[in-house]
Short mmCIF file of all heavy atoms in Angstrom, two decimals:
data_model
loop_
_atom_site.label_atom_id
_atom_site.label_comp_id
_atom_site.label_asym_id
_atom_site.label_seq_id
_atom_site.Cartn_x
_atom_site.Cartn_y
_atom_site.Cartn_z
N PRO I 122 -10.26 12.30 -0.15
CA PRO I 122 -9.74 11.61 -1.24
C PRO I 122 -8.98 10.17 -0.84
O PRO I 122 -9.13 9.35 -1.71
CB PRO I 122 -8.69 12.56 -1.80
CG PRO I 122 -9.11 13.82 -1.32
CD PRO I 122 -9.68 13.75 -0.05
N TYR I 123 -8.39 10.18 0.22
CA TYR I 123 -7.74 9.00 0.64
C TYR I 123 -8.69 7.77 0.67
O TYR I 123 -8.44 6.77 0.05
CB TYR I 123 -6.99 9.04 1.93
CG TYR I 123 -6.63 7.79 2.54
CD1 TYR I 123 -5.55 7.14 2.11
CD2 TYR I 123 -7.35 7.12 3.51
CE1 TYR I 123 -5.24 5.77 2.57
CE2 TYR I 123 -7.04 5.93 4.05
CZ TYR I 123 -6.08 5.24 3.59
OH TYR I 123 -5.66 3.99 4.11
N PHE I 124 -9.80 8.04 1.35
CA PHE I 124 -10.80 6.79 1.63
C PHE I 124 -11.41 6.58 0.36
O PHE I 124 -11.67 5.27 0.05
CB PHE I 124 -11.83 7.29 2.72
CG PHE I 124 -11.16 7.31 4.11
CD1 PHE I 124 -11.06 8.43 4.78
CD2 PHE I 124 -10.64 6.11 4.66
CE1 PHE I 124 -10.40 8.51 5.97
CE2 PHE I 124 -10.16 6.15 5.98
CZ PHE I 124 -10.07 7.37 6.68
N SER I 125 -11.75 7.51 -0.53
CA SER I 125 -12.38 7.13 -1.82
C SER I 125 -11.36 6.32 -2.67
O SER I 125 -11.82 5.20 -3.26
CB SER I 125 -12.74 8.44 -2.52
OG SER I 125 -13.69 9.15 -1.85
N CYS I 126 -10.13 6.72 -2.86
CA CYS I 126 -9.15 6.03 -3.64
C CYS I 126 -8.91 4.68 -3.03
O CYS I 126 -8.79 3.67 -3.74
CB CYS I 126 -7.90 6.85 -3.68
SG CYS I 126 -8.01 8.35 -4.66
N ASN I 127 -8.72 4.71 -1.74
CA ASN I 127 -8.51 3.36 -1.05
C ASN I 127 -9.54 2.32 -1.24
O ASN I 127 -9.38 1.18 -1.55
CB ASN I 127 -8.30 3.64 0.47
CG ASN I 127 -7.78 2.49 1.12
OD1 ASN I 127 -6.98 1.67 0.67
ND2 ASN I 127 -8.22 2.17 2.33
N SER I 128 -10.82 2.81 -1.14
CA SER I 128 -11.94 1.89 -1.41
C SER I 128 -12.00 1.44 -2.77
O SER I 128 -12.31 0.23 -3.09
CB SER I 128 -13.31 2.68 -1.07
OG SER I 128 -13.32 2.85 0.30
N LEU I 129 -11.71 2.27 -3.75
CA LEU I 129 -11.65 1.93 -5.10
C LEU I 129 -10.66 0.71 -5.46
O LEU I 129 -11.01 -0.20 -6.10
CB LEU I 129 -11.59 3.12 -6.04
CG LEU I 129 -12.78 3.95 -6.16
CD1 LEU I 129 -12.49 5.27 -6.91
CD2 LEU I 129 -13.97 3.32 -6.85
N LEU I 130 -9.53 1.13 -4.96
CA LEU I 130 -8.29 0.15 -5.18
C LEU I 130 -8.70 -1.17 -4.50
O LEU I 130 -8.44 -2.23 -5.12
CB LEU I 130 -7.03 0.67 -4.62
CG LEU I 130 -6.38 1.87 -5.47
CD1 LEU I 130 -5.13 2.37 -4.79
CD2 LEU I 130 -6.01 1.23 -6.86
N LEU I 131 -9.10 -1.06 -3.30
CA LEU I 131 -9.42 -2.39 -2.63
C LEU I 131 -10.52 -3.15 -3.27
O LEU I 131 -10.26 -4.35 -3.51
CB LEU I 131 -9.84 -2.05 -1.18
CG LEU I 131 -10.11 -3.22 -0.17
CD1 LEU I 131 -8.76 -4.04 -0.11
CD2 LEU I 131 -10.58 -2.79 1.14
N GLY I 132 -11.61 -2.56 -3.62
CA GLY I 132 -12.63 -3.25 -4.44
C GLY I 132 -12.21 -3.78 -5.71
O GLY I 132 -12.54 -4.94 -6.23
N ASP I 133 -11.26 -3.08 -6.54
CA ASP I 133 -10.73 -3.51 -7.78
C ASP I 133 -9.74 -4.75 -7.61
O ASP I 133 -9.67 -5.65 -8.44
CB ASP I 133 -10.02 -2.44 -8.46
CG ASP I 133 -10.94 -1.36 -9.12
OD1 ASP I 133 -12.19 -1.70 -9.12
OD2 ASP I 133 -10.63 -0.34 -9.43
N GLN I 134 -8.97 -4.64 -6.53
CA GLN I 134 -7.89 -5.59 -6.34
C GLN I 134 -8.30 -6.91 -5.64
O GLN I 134 -7.73 -8.01 -5.71
CB GLN I 134 -6.79 -5.12 -5.46
CG GLN I 134 -6.00 -4.00 -6.12
CD GLN I 134 -5.33 -4.41 -7.42
OE1 GLN I 134 -4.66 -5.32 -7.48
NE2 GLN I 134 -5.52 -3.65 -8.53
N ALA I 135 -9.54 -6.90 -4.94
CA ALA I 135 -10.00 -8.18 -4.39
C ALA I 135 -10.46 -9.17 -5.46
O ALA I 135 -11.09 -8.71 -6.42
CB ALA I 135 -11.16 -7.73 -3.45
N PRO I 136 -10.09 -10.36 -5.24
CA PRO I 136 -10.61 -11.38 -6.15
C PRO I 136 -12.12 -11.50 -6.24
O PRO I 136 -12.76 -11.19 -5.15
CB PRO I 136 -10.00 -12.68 -5.69
CG PRO I 136 -8.83 -12.32 -4.72
CD PRO I 136 -9.20 -10.88 -4.23
N SER I 137 -12.64 -11.85 -7.40
CA SER I 137 -14.09 -12.03 -7.56
C SER I 137 -14.72 -12.88 -6.42
O SER I 137 -14.27 -13.88 -6.11
CB SER I 137 -14.47 -12.64 -8.83
OG SER I 137 -15.81 -12.73 -9.07
N GLY I 138 -15.70 -12.21 -5.76
CA GLY I 138 -16.47 -13.01 -4.76
C GLY I 138 -15.81 -12.68 -3.27
O GLY I 138 -16.42 -13.22 -2.40
N THR I 139 -14.82 -11.94 -3.19
CA THR I 139 -14.16 -11.75 -1.87
C THR I 139 -14.15 -10.23 -1.50
O THR I 139 -13.40 -10.02 -0.50
CB THR I 139 -12.71 -12.29 -1.85
OG1 THR I 139 -11.91 -11.58 -2.87
CG2 THR I 139 -12.67 -13.82 -2.30
N THR I 140 -14.84 -9.52 -2.17
CA THR I 140 -14.77 -8.06 -1.92
C THR I 140 -15.33 -7.77 -0.40
O THR I 140 -14.60 -7.01 0.28
CB THR I 140 -15.62 -7.24 -2.93
OG1 THR I 140 -15.34 -7.59 -4.24
CG2 THR I 140 -15.56 -5.77 -2.67
N THR I 141 -16.32 -8.40 -0.04
CA THR I 141 -16.77 -7.99 1.37
C THR I 141 -15.75 -8.48 2.34
O THR I 141 -15.48 -7.72 3.30
CB THR I 141 -18.12 -8.93 1.58
OG1 THR I 141 -19.09 -8.42 0.56
CG2 THR I 141 -18.72 -8.59 3.05
N GLU I 142 -15.06 -9.66 2.19
CA GLU I 142 -13.99 -10.13 3.07
C GLU I 142 -12.92 -9.16 3.04
O GLU I 142 -12.38 -8.96 4.22
CB GLU I 142 -13.72 -11.55 2.78
CG GLU I 142 -12.72 -12.10 3.76
CD GLU I 142 -12.26 -13.54 3.26
OE1 GLU I 142 -12.53 -14.07 2.29
OE2 GLU I 142 -11.37 -13.99 3.99
N ALA I 143 -12.42 -8.68 1.85
CA ALA I 143 -11.40 -7.80 1.84
C ALA I 143 -11.65 -6.52 2.61
O ALA I 143 -10.90 -6.01 3.38
CB ALA I 143 -11.16 -7.40 0.34
N PHE I 144 -12.81 -5.90 2.51
CA PHE I 144 -13.29 -4.76 3.21
C PHE I 144 -13.27 -4.98 4.81
O PHE I 144 -12.92 -4.21 5.47
CB PHE I 144 -14.50 -4.15 2.76
CG PHE I 144 -14.38 -3.33 1.59
CD1 PHE I 144 -14.67 -3.75 0.22
CD2 PHE I 144 -13.95 -1.95 1.63
CE1 PHE I 144 -14.47 -3.03 -0.84
CE2 PHE I 144 -13.84 -1.15 0.49
CZ PHE I 144 -14.04 -1.68 -0.73
N ALA I 145 -13.70 -6.24 5.08
CA ALA I 145 -13.83 -6.50 6.51
C ALA I 145 -12.43 -6.64 7.14
O ALA I 145 -12.18 -6.17 8.23
CB ALA I 145 -14.65 -7.86 6.68
N TRP I 146 -11.50 -7.36 6.46
CA TRP I 146 -10.09 -7.32 6.85
C TRP I 146 -9.43 -6.03 6.98
O TRP I 146 -8.79 -5.67 7.93
CB TRP I 146 -9.32 -8.28 6.07
CG TRP I 146 -9.39 -9.84 6.42
CD1 TRP I 146 -10.04 -10.72 5.66
CD2 TRP I 146 -8.92 -10.41 7.45
NE1 TRP I 146 -10.09 -11.93 6.25
CE2 TRP I 146 -9.29 -11.80 7.33
CE3 TRP I 146 -8.27 -10.12 8.61
CZ2 TRP I 146 -9.04 -12.65 8.42
CZ3 TRP I 146 -7.86 -10.96 9.63
CH2 TRP I 146 -8.30 -12.28 9.42
N HIS I 147 -9.77 -5.21 5.96
CA HIS I 147 -9.16 -3.87 5.98
C HIS I 147 -9.68 -3.05 7.18
O HIS I 147 -8.83 -2.52 7.76
CB HIS I 147 -9.60 -3.19 4.50
CG HIS I 147 -9.11 -1.89 4.50
ND1 HIS I 147 -9.85 -0.78 4.66
CD2 HIS I 147 -7.81 -1.34 4.11
CE1 HIS I 147 -9.07 0.39 4.46
NE2 HIS I 147 -7.88 0.05 4.13
N SER I 148 -10.85 -3.07 7.39
CA SER I 148 -11.51 -2.33 8.55
C SER I 148 -10.95 -2.87 9.81
O SER I 148 -10.51 -2.08 10.82
CB SER I 148 -13.04 -2.38 8.54
OG SER I 148 -13.49 -1.78 7.34
N SER I 149 -10.90 -4.14 9.99
CA SER I 149 -10.38 -4.70 11.16
C SER I 149 -8.98 -4.25 11.37
O SER I 149 -8.58 -3.96 12.63
CB SER I 149 -10.44 -6.27 11.05
OG SER I 149 -11.82 -6.73 10.95
N MET I 150 -8.13 -4.24 10.39
CA MET I 150 -6.69 -3.94 10.61
C MET I 150 -6.62 -2.50 10.95
O MET I 150 -5.74 -2.12 11.76
CB MET I 150 -5.99 -4.18 9.29
CG MET I 150 -5.84 -5.58 8.99
SD MET I 150 -4.98 -6.67 10.35
CE MET I 150 -6.39 -7.63 10.76
N ILE I 151 -7.40 -1.57 10.32
CA ILE I 151 -7.32 -0.06 10.67
C ILE I 151 -7.77 0.12 12.13
O ILE I 151 -7.03 0.75 12.86
CB ILE I 151 -8.18 0.63 9.75
CG1 ILE I 151 -7.66 0.71 8.34
CG2 ILE I 151 -8.48 2.07 10.24
CD1 ILE I 151 -8.44 1.43 7.40
N PHE I 152 -8.83 -0.50 12.56
CA PHE I 152 -9.37 -0.23 13.90
C PHE I 152 -8.45 -0.91 14.94
O PHE I 152 -8.17 -0.39 16.04
CB PHE I 152 -10.85 -0.63 14.19
CG PHE I 152 -11.71 0.36 13.24
CD1 PHE I 152 -12.51 -0.23 12.21
CD2 PHE I 152 -11.68 1.71 13.48
CE1 PHE I 152 -13.31 0.58 11.47
CE2 PHE I 152 -12.48 2.40 12.72
CZ PHE I 152 -13.37 2.02 11.74
N GLY I 153 -7.88 -2.10 14.62
CA GLY I 153 -7.13 -2.80 15.49
C GLY I 153 -5.74 -2.10 15.72
O GLY I 153 -5.19 -2.00 16.79
N GLY I 154 -5.27 -1.45 14.54
CA GLY I 154 -4.02 -0.82 14.50
C GLY I 154 -4.11 0.47 15.38
O GLY I 154 -3.26 0.77 16.16
N ALA I 155 -5.26 1.20 15.30
CA ALA I 155 -5.54 2.35 15.98
C ALA I 155 -5.63 2.13 17.53
O ALA I 155 -5.07 2.77 18.43
CB ALA I 155 -6.78 3.03 15.62
N ALA I 156 -6.28 1.06 17.86
CA ALA I 156 -6.45 0.60 19.25
C ALA I 156 -5.10 0.24 19.88
O ALA I 156 -4.73 0.64 21.01
CB ALA I 156 -7.41 -0.56 19.36
N LEU I 157 -4.36 -0.60 19.13
CA LEU I 157 -3.02 -1.01 19.69
C LEU I 157 -2.08 0.14 19.75
O LEU I 157 -1.24 0.28 20.80
CB LEU I 157 -2.36 -2.20 18.77
CG LEU I 157 -3.14 -3.48 18.88
CD1 LEU I 157 -2.54 -4.44 17.88
CD2 LEU I 157 -2.95 -3.98 20.36
N GLY I 158 -2.14 1.04 18.77
CA GLY I 158 -1.29 2.23 18.82
C GLY I 158 -1.63 3.15 19.87
O GLY I 158 -0.72 3.64 20.63
N ALA I 159 -2.81 3.32 20.13
CA ALA I 159 -3.25 4.15 21.33
C ALA I 159 -2.76 3.64 22.71
O ALA I 159 -2.22 4.31 23.50
CB ALA I 159 -4.74 4.56 21.32
N ALA I 160 -3.09 2.29 22.72
CA ALA I 160 -2.64 1.66 24.01
C ALA I 160 -1.11 1.60 24.16
O ALA I 160 -0.58 1.98 25.31
CB ALA I 160 -3.11 0.20 24.02
N GLY I 161 -0.39 1.46 23.16
CA GLY I 161 1.01 1.51 23.24
C GLY I 161 1.62 2.86 23.41
O GLY I 161 2.58 2.95 24.35
N ALA I 162 1.09 3.84 22.86
CA ALA I 162 1.51 5.14 23.22
C ALA I 162 1.25 5.53 24.55
O ALA I 162 2.04 6.28 25.24
CB ALA I 162 0.75 6.07 22.21
N GLY I 163 -0.06 5.14 25.02
CA GLY I 163 -0.41 5.58 26.53
C GLY I 163 0.55 4.96 27.39
O GLY I 163 0.97 5.51 28.42
N PHE I 164 1.04 3.77 27.18
CA PHE I 164 1.93 2.95 28.06
C PHE I 164 3.30 3.76 28.04
O PHE I 164 3.91 3.93 29.10
CB PHE I 164 2.05 1.57 27.65
CG PHE I 164 3.08 0.81 28.39
CD1 PHE I 164 2.75 0.18 29.50
CD2 PHE I 164 4.36 0.66 27.98
CE1 PHE I 164 3.68 -0.60 30.39
CE2 PHE I 164 5.31 -0.05 28.67
CZ PHE I 164 4.96 -0.66 29.91
N LEU I 165 3.79 4.10 26.82
CA LEU I 165 5.03 4.78 26.64
C LEU I 165 5.05 6.13 27.44
O LEU I 165 5.99 6.50 28.07
CB LEU I 165 5.44 4.93 25.25
CG LEU I 165 5.91 3.62 24.58
CD1 LEU I 165 6.07 3.94 23.04
CD2 LEU I 165 7.17 3.09 25.25
N VAL I 166 3.94 6.84 27.23
CA VAL I 166 3.85 8.14 28.05
C VAL I 166 3.86 8.11 29.36
O VAL I 166 4.58 8.87 30.12
CB VAL I 166 2.61 8.88 27.50
CG1 VAL I 166 2.29 10.12 28.31
CG2 VAL I 166 2.63 9.43 26.01
N GLN I 167 3.11 7.09 29.94
CA GLN I 167 3.15 6.83 31.44
C GLN I 167 4.41 6.29 31.96
O GLN I 167 4.75 6.66 33.05
CB GLN I 167 1.98 5.96 31.80
CG GLN I 167 0.62 6.60 31.82
CD GLN I 167 -0.45 5.79 32.33
OE1 GLN I 167 -0.27 4.55 32.48
NE2 GLN I 167 -1.60 6.45 32.76
N HIS I 168 5.04 5.42 31.23
CA HIS I 168 6.11 4.70 31.87
C HIS I 168 7.55 5.06 31.33
O HIS I 168 8.52 4.81 32.02
CB HIS I 168 6.00 3.14 31.75
CG HIS I 168 4.78 2.58 32.22
ND1 HIS I 168 4.66 2.49 33.74
CD2 HIS I 168 3.60 2.28 31.85
CE1 HIS I 168 3.46 2.07 34.05
NE2 HIS I 168 2.83 1.83 32.97
N VAL I 169 7.65 5.78 30.20
CA VAL I 169 8.85 6.12 29.67
C VAL I 169 8.92 7.65 29.54
O VAL I 169 9.37 8.33 30.36
CB VAL I 169 9.24 5.40 28.31
CG1 VAL I 169 10.58 5.77 27.80
CG2 VAL I 169 9.10 3.97 28.43
N SER I 170 8.38 8.23 28.39
CA SER I 170 8.32 9.57 28.12
C SER I 170 7.38 9.86 26.97
O SER I 170 7.31 8.98 26.09
CB SER I 170 9.72 10.27 27.97
OG SER I 170 10.29 9.82 26.79
N ILE I 171 6.98 11.19 26.84
CA ILE I 171 6.24 11.60 25.69
C ILE I 171 7.25 11.55 24.40
O ILE I 171 6.85 11.17 23.30
CB ILE I 171 5.70 13.05 25.85
CG1 ILE I 171 4.58 12.94 26.96
CG2 ILE I 171 5.24 13.52 24.51
CD1 ILE I 171 4.13 14.36 27.24
N THR I 172 8.41 11.85 24.65
CA THR I 172 9.35 11.74 23.49
C THR I 172 9.60 10.39 22.89
O THR I 172 9.49 10.13 21.73
CB THR I 172 10.73 12.33 23.93
OG1 THR I 172 10.64 13.56 24.49
CG2 THR I 172 11.78 12.35 22.76
N ALA I 173 9.50 9.33 23.80
CA ALA I 173 9.57 7.98 23.31
C ALA I 173 8.38 7.56 22.63
O ALA I 173 8.51 6.86 21.46
CB ALA I 173 9.85 6.96 24.60
N ALA I 174 7.33 8.09 23.17
CA ALA I 174 5.97 7.73 22.33
C ALA I 174 5.93 8.40 20.96
O ALA I 174 5.60 7.71 19.99
CB ALA I 174 4.78 8.20 23.05
N LEU I 175 6.36 9.66 20.90
CA LEU I 175 6.39 10.34 19.58
C LEU I 175 7.55 9.60 18.68
O LEU I 175 7.30 9.61 17.37
CB LEU I 175 6.73 11.81 19.67
CG LEU I 175 5.69 12.51 20.49
CD1 LEU I 175 6.13 13.99 20.70
CD2 LEU I 175 4.36 12.57 19.60
N ALA I 176 8.60 9.14 19.23
CA ALA I 176 9.64 8.63 18.36
C ALA I 176 9.19 7.27 17.82
O ALA I 176 9.32 6.94 16.66
CB ALA I 176 10.94 8.32 19.20
N VAL I 177 8.52 6.46 18.59
CA VAL I 177 7.92 5.13 18.11
C VAL I 177 6.84 5.36 17.05
O VAL I 177 6.79 4.71 16.20
CB VAL I 177 7.33 4.39 19.30
CG1 VAL I 177 6.44 3.18 18.89
CG2 VAL I 177 8.39 3.94 20.17
N THR I 178 6.09 6.54 17.19
CA THR I 178 5.09 6.77 16.39
C THR I 178 5.72 7.22 14.98
O THR I 178 5.26 6.83 13.94
CB THR I 178 4.17 7.99 16.72
OG1 THR I 178 3.55 7.65 18.02
CG2 THR I 178 3.10 8.41 15.78
N GLY I 179 6.84 7.97 14.97
CA GLY I 179 7.52 8.38 13.68
C GLY I 179 8.05 7.17 13.02
O GLY I 179 8.00 7.02 11.85
N VAL I 180 8.69 6.22 13.81
CA VAL I 180 9.29 5.06 13.18
C VAL I 180 8.20 4.23 12.60
O VAL I 180 8.37 3.59 11.55
CB VAL I 180 10.07 4.29 14.26
CG1 VAL I 180 10.50 2.86 13.79
CG2 VAL I 180 11.27 5.09 14.71
N ALA I 181 7.03 3.91 13.37
CA ALA I 181 5.89 3.25 12.86
C ALA I 181 5.42 3.81 11.50
O ALA I 181 5.10 3.17 10.56
CB ALA I 181 4.90 3.08 13.82
N GLY I 182 5.40 5.25 11.52
CA GLY I 182 4.84 5.82 10.24
C GLY I 182 5.81 5.52 9.05
O GLY I 182 5.34 5.26 7.87
N VAL I 183 7.19 5.65 9.29
CA VAL I 183 8.10 5.45 8.25
C VAL I 183 7.95 4.00 7.77
O VAL I 183 8.09 3.65 6.56
CB VAL I 183 9.56 5.83 8.67
CG1 VAL I 183 10.60 5.19 7.72
CG2 VAL I 183 9.73 7.26 8.93
N LEU I 184 7.88 2.96 8.76
CA LEU I 184 7.87 1.47 8.36
C LEU I 184 6.50 1.29 7.56
O LEU I 184 6.54 0.53 6.55
CB LEU I 184 7.81 0.74 9.54
CG LEU I 184 9.20 0.67 10.27
CD1 LEU I 184 9.08 -0.12 11.67
CD2 LEU I 184 10.23 0.06 9.45
N THR I 185 5.50 1.95 7.90
CA THR I 185 4.17 1.83 7.16
C THR I 185 4.35 2.44 5.76
O THR I 185 3.96 1.74 4.74
CB THR I 185 3.11 2.49 7.90
OG1 THR I 185 3.01 1.96 9.26
CG2 THR I 185 1.79 2.38 7.09
N MET I 186 5.04 3.52 5.61
CA MET I 186 5.32 4.09 4.31
C MET I 186 6.04 3.11 3.40
O MET I 186 5.65 2.90 2.23
CB MET I 186 5.82 5.51 4.38
CG MET I 186 6.03 6.13 3.06
SD MET I 186 6.92 7.62 3.18
CE MET I 186 8.59 7.12 3.68
N LEU I 187 7.13 2.62 3.90
CA LEU I 187 8.02 1.83 3.20
C LEU I 187 7.27 0.50 2.80
O LEU I 187 7.48 0.03 1.71
CB LEU I 187 9.15 1.43 4.01
CG LEU I 187 10.32 2.71 4.30
CD1 LEU I 187 11.34 2.21 5.19
CD2 LEU I 187 10.74 3.10 2.98
N SER I 188 6.46 0.02 3.66
CA SER I 188 5.72 -1.25 3.38
C SER I 188 4.67 -0.97 2.14
O SER I 188 4.51 -1.73 1.29
CB SER I 188 4.92 -1.70 4.64
OG SER I 188 4.01 -2.63 4.22
N ALA I 189 4.03 0.19 2.20
CA ALA I 189 3.09 0.61 1.19
C ALA I 189 3.85 0.81 -0.16
O ALA I 189 3.43 0.27 -1.13
CB ALA I 189 2.41 1.79 1.63
N LEU I 190 5.00 1.42 -0.06
CA LEU I 190 5.66 1.71 -1.27
C LEU I 190 6.28 0.35 -1.92
O LEU I 190 6.38 0.13 -3.09
CB LEU I 190 6.91 2.63 -1.11
CG LEU I 190 6.44 4.05 -0.78
CD1 LEU I 190 7.75 4.90 -0.41
CD2 LEU I 190 5.66 4.68 -2.01
N GLY I 191 6.62 -0.53 -1.04
CA GLY I 191 7.14 -1.86 -1.50
C GLY I 191 6.06 -2.61 -2.12
O GLY I 191 6.23 -3.40 -3.01
N GLY I 192 4.82 -2.54 -1.70
CA GLY I 192 3.70 -3.28 -2.22
C GLY I 192 3.11 -2.70 -3.47
O GLY I 192 2.16 -3.34 -4.18
N ARG I 193 3.48 -1.53 -3.87
CA ARG I 193 2.99 -0.86 -5.10
C ARG I 193 3.13 -1.64 -6.33
O ARG I 193 2.27 -1.54 -7.23
CB ARG I 193 3.58 0.46 -5.33
CG ARG I 193 2.95 1.55 -4.36
CD ARG I 193 3.66 2.96 -4.58
NE ARG I 193 3.82 3.29 -5.94
CZ ARG I 193 4.46 4.34 -6.36
NH1 ARG I 193 5.09 5.02 -5.55
NH2 ARG I 193 4.63 4.50 -7.73
N SER I 194 4.17 -2.42 -6.45
CA SER I 194 4.45 -3.15 -7.72
C SER I 194 3.36 -4.27 -7.91
O SER I 194 3.17 -4.67 -9.11
CB SER I 194 5.86 -3.71 -7.72
OG SER I 194 5.94 -4.69 -6.60
N ARG I 195 2.66 -4.67 -6.86
CA ARG I 195 1.73 -5.79 -6.94
C ARG I 195 0.31 -5.25 -7.31
O ARG I 195 -0.48 -5.98 -7.64
CB ARG I 195 1.67 -6.56 -5.57
CG ARG I 195 2.89 -7.33 -5.40
CD ARG I 195 2.83 -8.22 -4.27
NE ARG I 195 2.42 -7.46 -3.15
CZ ARG I 195 3.08 -7.63 -1.88
NH1 ARG I 195 4.05 -8.48 -1.87
NH2 ARG I 195 2.64 -6.93 -0.91
N VAL I 196 0.15 -3.87 -7.28
CA VAL I 196 -1.18 -3.32 -7.52
C VAL I 196 -1.25 -3.01 -9.00
O VAL I 196 -0.44 -2.32 -9.53
CB VAL I 196 -1.34 -2.08 -6.68
CG1 VAL I 196 -2.67 -1.44 -6.98
CG2 VAL I 196 -1.24 -2.43 -5.21
N THR I 197 -2.29 -3.55 -9.66
CA THR I 197 -2.51 -3.28 -11.02
C THR I 197 -3.96 -2.65 -11.12
O THR I 197 -4.87 -3.22 -10.60
CB THR I 197 -2.50 -4.54 -11.88
OG1 THR I 197 -3.41 -5.52 -11.45
CG2 THR I 197 -1.04 -5.13 -11.86
N VAL I 198 -3.96 -1.53 -11.86
CA VAL I 198 -5.21 -0.83 -12.07
C VAL I 198 -5.52 -0.76 -13.50
O VAL I 198 -4.61 -0.26 -14.30
CB VAL I 198 -5.22 0.58 -11.47
CG1 VAL I 198 -6.48 1.15 -11.79
CG2 VAL I 198 -4.83 0.44 -10.01
N ALA I 199 -6.61 -1.34 -13.97
CA ALA I 199 -7.02 -1.31 -15.42
C ALA I 199 -7.46 0.17 -15.75
O ALA I 199 -8.17 0.79 -14.74
CB ALA I 199 -8.07 -2.27 -15.58
N PRO I 200 -7.22 0.50 -16.90
CA PRO I 200 -7.75 1.87 -17.26
C PRO I 200 -9.29 1.93 -17.15
O PRO I 200 -9.94 0.80 -17.73
CB PRO I 200 -7.23 2.04 -18.74
CG PRO I 200 -6.46 0.94 -19.09
CD PRO I 200 -6.47 -0.06 -17.93
N ALA I 201 -9.81 3.05 -16.65
CA ALA I 201 -11.26 3.09 -16.46
C ALA I 201 -11.88 3.46 -17.88
O ALA I 201 -11.23 4.29 -18.54
CB ALA I 201 -11.64 4.11 -15.53
N SER I 202 -12.99 2.89 -18.13
CA SER I 202 -13.77 3.30 -19.42
C SER I 202 -14.84 4.44 -18.95
O SER I 202 -15.65 4.05 -18.18
CB SER I 202 -14.33 2.18 -20.25
OG SER I 202 -15.51 1.85 -19.55
N VAL I 203 -14.72 5.60 -19.40
CA VAL I 203 -15.49 6.57 -19.05
C VAL I 203 -16.26 6.98 -20.28
O VAL I 203 -15.71 7.35 -21.38
CB VAL I 203 -14.62 7.90 -18.49
CG1 VAL I 203 -15.56 8.97 -18.16
CG2 VAL I 203 -13.89 7.37 -17.26
N THR I 204 -17.60 7.22 -20.03
CA THR I 204 -18.45 7.74 -21.22
C THR I 204 -18.91 9.09 -20.81
O THR I 204 -19.35 9.32 -19.82
CB THR I 204 -19.61 6.83 -21.54
OG1 THR I 204 -20.19 6.52 -20.22
CG2 THR I 204 -19.21 5.66 -22.23
N MET I 205 -18.78 10.03 -21.61
CA MET I 205 -19.08 11.40 -21.53
C MET I 205 -20.51 11.59 -22.19
O MET I 205 -20.75 11.08 -23.22
CB MET I 205 -18.14 12.41 -21.90
CG MET I 205 -16.71 12.20 -21.28
SD MET I 205 -16.73 12.48 -19.61
CE MET I 205 -16.61 14.21 -19.60
N GLY I 206 -21.14 12.54 -21.58
CA GLY I 206 -22.52 12.80 -22.06
C GLY I 206 -23.45 11.79 -21.83
O GLY I 206 -23.13 10.83 -21.12
N GLY I 207 -24.49 11.64 -22.20
CA GLY I 207 -25.29 10.60 -21.83
C GLY I 207 -26.55 10.32 -22.46
O GLY I 207 -27.39 9.99 -22.46
#
């Protein structure tokens, strides 16, 4: 459900003519974040401790959630027109 809803919102919110670019930036940020997160966690596990890596992961998750909640006011979704039967 997350990816379906996310794709619908991203497609609806992208300005006309920029949908492909919006999806490209979105994908780049997801994969870039995953790569940097894995590298950072690996570094912390090797040089500090597993607890430190888990703590940083938790803090990053909370910051991500707060960022997403803060941006909710800028997202507008028009009511869908659904036709039943056909």
Side-chain angles (χ1 to χ4, degrees):
Y123 164 78
F124 290 111
S125 298
C126 291
N127 190 37
S128 294
L129 288 171
L130 283 172
L131 185 60
D133 286 343
Q134 295 299 310
S137 180
T139 64
T140 305
T141 301
E142 182 180 1
F144 277 96
W146 276 109
H147 179 257
S148 297
S149 297
M150 294 301 111
I151 286 178
F152 293 120
L157 289 173
F164 179 84
L165 286 173
V166 167
Q167 283 188 338
H168 298 287
V169 182
S170 70
I171 291 174
T172 305
L175 292 172
V177 169
T178 301
V180 168
V183 168
L184 291 175
T185 301
M186 181 187 66
L187 291 174
S188 173
L190 291 174
R193 282 181 42 192
S194 62
R195 293 188 302 230
V196 176
T197 58
V198 180
S202 81
V203 177
T204 44
M205 302 298 280

